[in-house]
Amino acid sequence: MPLSPSDTHKVLESIGHKPKKKLGQNFLIDGNIVKKSLTMAAPSPSDAIVEIGPGLGTLTEELLSRGYQVHAVELDPNLAAYLRKKFSKELKNNSLVLTEGDAVKEPTGSLTLKDDTFRIVANLPYAISSPWLESILGGKKIPQSMTLMLQKEAADRMWAKPSTKNYNALSIFLHGAYKLEKSHAVSKQCFYPVPAVDSVLIHMKRLPEPFLYQKESRNLIRKVFTKRRKQMGAVIKQESTRSQEILEDWLKQTGLPRTLRAEQISPTDWQHLSQIISD
Ligand code: SAM
């Protein structure tokens, strides 16, 4: 059951917990948003669900009540202890597996590679949304879909198009593997405590043939983007010999002009660079 602000306050008081800003502890208190997350995610009964930052377990409870197996990752030891008590039955019968740890290091918690189809449903701690997504995209298996509550600005950056100020390395990696299907603005009043920033609930679906950038290409693209407004010709000169060779080869093969800047180059052209590195 989603909690009202006063109920949430009471629960927090009963466990002696003060919401930590640093950990993005703004708890969902709106039942419609909890249900909307599930409607957007539309998992099949056999899908495993990964939830990042279960907090007081509002979303977790809804997922469990619908019969899904949930793999949750919570960093805060106080909240993890509360969840272990609240869901002792579900933990015993393994419908909930709780990992107490950092989701950036364990982006899918206790999920194993045997879990064929899985989805992510999460009200993310906003400070880790980008590094966590990078960890997910760098993993061996990526989810079928991700239904995420994000800071509005972060979502805008993730789905930015080339030649806009928000376009960055993560937008490129995401465009290769996912399609943004739905987006829903969420009022600040849906959280306790009320956050300072605007939020948005988004649903992204894995592409039929997702393109995953390997580590070396991700590192190179990220590095090139630190000089996003410099012409590629000038950027190349400052790179290591190996990167210079790769980038020169890429410009030659694609016919991209040396005067182009990183922020103007399309995700498809960056994929070509990644293929050169993998070959
Ligand atoms: N899911 C709950 C809800 O919707 O009410 C809480 C969401 S709250 C926005 C974010 C949660 O993520 C908090 O419980 C916080 O402790 C947890 N968290 C913060 N950083 C984390 C990290 N690096 N790894 C795992 N959980 C984290």
Side-chain angles (χ1 to χ4, degrees), residues 123-135:
N123 173 14
L124 280 182
Y126 295 166
I128 67 156
S129 54
S130 297
W132 170 78
L133 260 172
E134 289 231 15
S135 296

Side-chain angles (χ1 to χ4, degrees), residues 1 15 21 32 56 61 64 69 83 94 99 119 150 152 157 163 177 183 188 192 219 222 225 236 248 252 259 264 276:
M1 270 298 282
I15 57 170
K21 254 199 195 148
N32 289 330
L56 295 172
E61 193 166 14
L64 291 168
Q69 203 208 10
L83 291 165
N94 266 333
T99 303
R119 295 173 192 269
L150 294 166
K152 188 183 172 301
R157 280 197 299 277
S163 298
S183 163
K188 288 180 183 173
Y192 177 88
N219 288 343
R222 242 188 264 115
F225 256 83
I236 291 175
E248 288 292 1
K252 204 147 93 208
T259 50
Q264 297 172 302
I276 292 176

Side-chain angles (χ1 to χ4, degrees), residues 4 66 75 79 138 144 155 172 174 189 201 203 206 252 264:
S4 67
R66 295 186 187 206
L75 182 62
L79 298 181
Q144 274 181 298
I172 292 164
L174 265 178
Q189 304 306 321
L201 182 63
H203 178 71
R206 192 174 67 198
K252 204 147 93 208
Q264 297 172 302

Side-chain angles (χ1 to χ4, degrees), residues 23-28 51-56 58-59 73-76 79 101-104 123-125 128:
L23 295 187
Q25 291 178 351
N26 301 94
F27 304 100
L28 256 179
E51 188 194 357
I52 303 305
L56 295 172
T58 309
L59 199 52
V73 189
E74 175 57 61
L75 182 62
D76 190 308
L79 298 181
D102 183 353
V104 177
N123 173 14
L124 280 182
I128 67 156

Side-chain angles (χ1 to χ4, degrees), residues 7 40 77 94 98 101 127 135 139 153 156 162 205 215 231 253 255:
D7 287 342
M40 273 186 173
N94 266 333
L98 179 67
S135 296
E153 284 76 8
D156 290 346
K205 192 175 167 194
K215 197 170 178 185
Q231 297 187 349
Q253 286 190 28

Side-chain angles (χ1 to χ4, degrees), residues 77-148:
N78 279 351
L79 298 181
Y82 170 77
L83 291 165
R84 278 194 287 269
K85 218 168 177 183
K86 176 172 173 144
F87 295 117
S88 60
K89 195 178 93 214
E90 291 81 359
L91 285 162
K92 225 176 232 162
N93 68 23
N94 266 333
S95 48
L96 173 65
V97 189
L98 179 67
T99 303
E100 188 179 325
D102 183 353
V104 177
K105 294 187 187 130
E106 299 175 84
T108 54
S110 54
L111 200 79
T112 67
L113 289 176
K114 275 190 283 160
D115 293 297
D116 223 15
T117 56
F118 73 102
R119 295 173 192 269
I120 309 236
V121 183
N123 173 14
L124 280 182
Y126 295 166
I128 67 156
S129 54
S130 297
W132 170 78
L133 260 172
E134 289 231 15
S135 296
I136 283 281
L137 293 171
K140 287 204 169 66
K141 238 176 180 181
I142 60 168
Q144 274 181 298
S145 71
M146 297 190 246
T147 308
L148 306 174

Side-chain angles (χ1 to χ4, degrees), residues 95-261:
S95 48
L96 173 65
V97 189
L98 179 67
T99 303
E100 188 179 325
D102 183 353
V104 177
K105 294 187 187 130
E106 299 175 84
T108 54
S110 54
L111 200 79
T112 67
L113 289 176
K114 275 190 283 160
D115 293 297
D116 223 15
T117 56
F118 73 102
R119 295 173 192 269
I120 309 236
V121 183
N123 173 14
L124 280 182
Y126 295 166
I128 67 156
S129 54
S130 297
W132 170 78
L133 260 172
E134 289 231 15
S135 296
I136 283 281
L137 293 171
K140 287 204 169 66
K141 238 176 180 181
I142 60 168
Q144 274 181 298
S145 71
M146 297 190 246
T147 308
L148 306 174
M149 182 77 74
L150 294 166
Q151 182 175 347
K152 188 183 172 301
E153 284 76 8
D156 290 346
R157 280 197 299 277
M158 282 167 199
W159 291 98
K161 298 247 159 59
S163 298
T164 64
K165 74 171 182 349
N166 280 334
Y167 186 53
N168 63 25
L170 183 55
S171 350
I172 292 164
F173 308 149
L174 265 178
H175 273 107
Y178 286 88
K179 178 173 177 263
L180 176 64
E181 286 222 312
K182 287 173 201 142
S183 163
H184 177 81
V186 177
S187 157
K188 288 180 183 173
Q189 304 306 321
C190 297
F191 304 93
Y192 177 88
V194 177
V197 296
D198 288 321
S199 300
V200 66
L201 182 63
I202 67 164
H203 178 71
M204 41 197 185
K205 192 175 167 194
R206 192 174 67 198
L207 295 173
E209 286 181 41
F211 184 91
L212 292 176
Y213 290 79
Q214 296 313 308
K215 197 170 178 185
E216 189 181 350
S217 47
R218 277 187 279 133
N219 288 343
L220 181 56
I221 294 170
R222 242 188 264 115
K223 189 151 178 247
V224 169
F225 256 83
T226 59
K227 298 161 202 147
R228 54 185 295 141
R229 291 198 182 86
K230 275 205 172 149
Q231 297 187 349
M232 286 310 296
V235 172
I236 291 175
K237 281 188 197 147
Q238 294 171 351
E239 286 301 325
S240 65
T241 314
R242 171 164 165 82
S243 297
Q244 279 188 6
E245 277 168 15
I246 291 165
L247 290 164
E248 288 292 1
D249 203 13
W250 173 57
L251 291 187
K252 204 147 93 208
Q253 286 190 28
T254 52
L256 291 170
R258 309 175 73 78
T259 50
L260 219 56
R261 300 160 209 281

